[in-house]
Amino acid sequence: MKIDSIKDGIVLDHIKAGRGMLIYQLLHLEELDCSVAILKNVPSKKMGKKDIIKIGDADLQLDFNAIGYVDPDITVNVIRNDVCVEKKHVALPEELENVIKCKNPRCITTTEQELPHIFRLADRHEGIYRCIYCDTKASRHL
Amino acid sequence: MRSLIDILELSVEELDELMNTADDIMAHPAKYSEVCHGKKLATLFFEPSTRTRLSFEAAMYELGGNVLGFSEAASSSASKGESVADTAKVVSCYADIIAMRHPKEGAPYVASINATVPVINGGDGGHNHPTQTLADLETIRHELGRLTDLTVGFCGDLKFGRTVHSLIAALSRYNGVKFVLISPVELRLPDYVRRDILVTNRVPYKETTDLEAVLPELDVLYMTRIQKERFFNEEEYLRLKDSYILTADKMKLAKEKMAVLHPLPRVNEISVAVDKDPRAAYFRQVLYAKYMRMALIMKLLDIAVEIDAKEEA
Ligand SMILES: [Zn+2]
């Protein structure tokens, strides 16, 4: 299968195979007017197979924290005039705002809907996040 | 400006400092009777807890300050849908410090990031209740003279008892502390507390269902209430509850110098006959709680009073 290479845009590369759609939803890419392509199960030397997302807008502000949370191994390439001008490695972010919701029914966020759902990284090694209000753990197994 | 939401926000040094202040207040109450003159404490109790509210109010009065507030959500603006954040901003205009109790976990934290005065968490659901833990620590230190090298037993409902979890976390920071966890299997300490606190900090502990067997080892026995609704059936409850009741007879097995604590209110898990025992510390614990709240209010309001040097024996 052949997909046109991108002239101006953002390429999310090295997405764990099968997670492309999840990233698409988490970044709300369905709301964009520009072209968006999800490539699934692309052969990769490093990973065996991987997913790739191509977005036809180089100036788009992406929530890198959300990307890092779902898959800290993703690389973000910004392409302008066929040249990759920026290559970013995302990592597990220190803080997540409105990426995941607290599932504790006793948490203050359940009664005060205006409050942002904020989670902080409690253990980088284990990838554990905790709600800043009630300390409930969030599991990264989405 | 600082608040107190979780007991672990205080370092061991700060805990010592608070306990030293509390001891000094007990020894020289007159010295402290006007230190909060002209200051106001707002007690915002979104759920009733008369005991905790009275303790905060008594603490502020004994420091020469004043108190305002409400004791249930129905009489506050929350019943009109005001957010915790807005309440905190508004009350900051009236009071110098806030003590808040709320049924939702994290509400006092939300208040603390929106208030312009210090906020003390007076209990948020099953989550944190740091002034209870301050009282527990001061009770142990004052009764036994130390917080290190202790064998501390917890008895009863270790599954849902937040005071137990917080005290275990706080005591785990002291050297030579061992825990004995005494409960029916159904009400064992939750795995996450065991893993995150005991295993992570390599704190020695053992679990048992037999209070009498371990009583002779204990320096501290922290009793909790076993609630009937925690059990699957009435029969199970009736079968188990008696083995977790502390009686004068069982106290004969305990060390001569030890302390029995209880967060109160008690129902029947400690027989009234034990109250006369000098080792029964649970009513003095209420007093220590008030002194620790006084020390905390002073600390958060940056009121420093020279502490008299301890007379060493
Ligand atoms: Zn939460």
Side-chain angles (χ1 to χ4, degrees), chain B residues 42 44-46 84 87-88 98-102 107-108 111 119-123:
Chain B
L44 309 184
F45 276 53
F46 291 85
V84 168
T87 304
I98 294 170
M100 178 189 275
R101 188 182 187 96
H102 199 288
V119 174
I120 301 172
N121 183 356

Side-chain angles (χ1 to χ4, degrees), chain B residues 111-146:
Chain B
S112 74
I113 51 183
N114 287 283
T116 52
V117 300
V119 174
I120 301 172
N121 183 356
D124 57 340
H127 186 217
N128 283 315
H129 193 9
T131 55
Q132 176 70 49
T133 311
L134 289 178
D136 298 342
L137 291 170
E138 170 67 358
T139 306
I140 298 171
R141 198 182 86 156
H142 205 270
E143 295 282 322
L144 298 172
R146 65 183 195 279

Side-chain angles (χ1 to χ4, degrees), chain A residues 104-112 114-115 120 130 132-137, chain B residues 6 82-85 102-107 109-110 113 124 127-128 195-196:
Chain A
N104 174 6
R106 297 175 310 276
C107 181
I108 183 69
T109 53
T110 58
T111 41
E112 303 218 345
E114 307 271 298
L115 282 173
R120 279 203 196 112
R130 284 183 189 276
I132 62 162
Y133 307 105
C134 71
D135 293 311
T136 295
K137 272 186 201 177
Chain B
D6 181 333
E82 187 177 58
S83 67
V84 168
H102 199 288
K104 287 287 176 175
E105 300 179 10
Y109 174 70
V110 172
I113 51 183
D124 57 340
H127 186 217
N128 283 315
R195 197 178 48 238
D196 294 355

Side-chain angles (χ1 to χ4, degrees), chain B residues 14-34:
Chain B
E14 286 174 308
L15 290 173
D16 275 343
E17 180 200 315
L18 286 171
M19 288 184 274
N20 292 342
T21 304
D23 285 348
D24 200 56
I25 298 172
M26 267 182 262
H28 312 281
K31 206 169 99 185
Y32 294 85
S33 65
E34 287 298 326

Side-chain angles (χ1 to χ4, degrees), chain A residues 13-14 41-50 52:
Chain A
D13 200 358
H14 304 114
N41 300 327
V42 180
S44 156
K45 271 187 219 126
K46 215 165 53 175
M47 307 170 68
K49 53 185 182 173
K50 63 180 181 182
I52 299 174

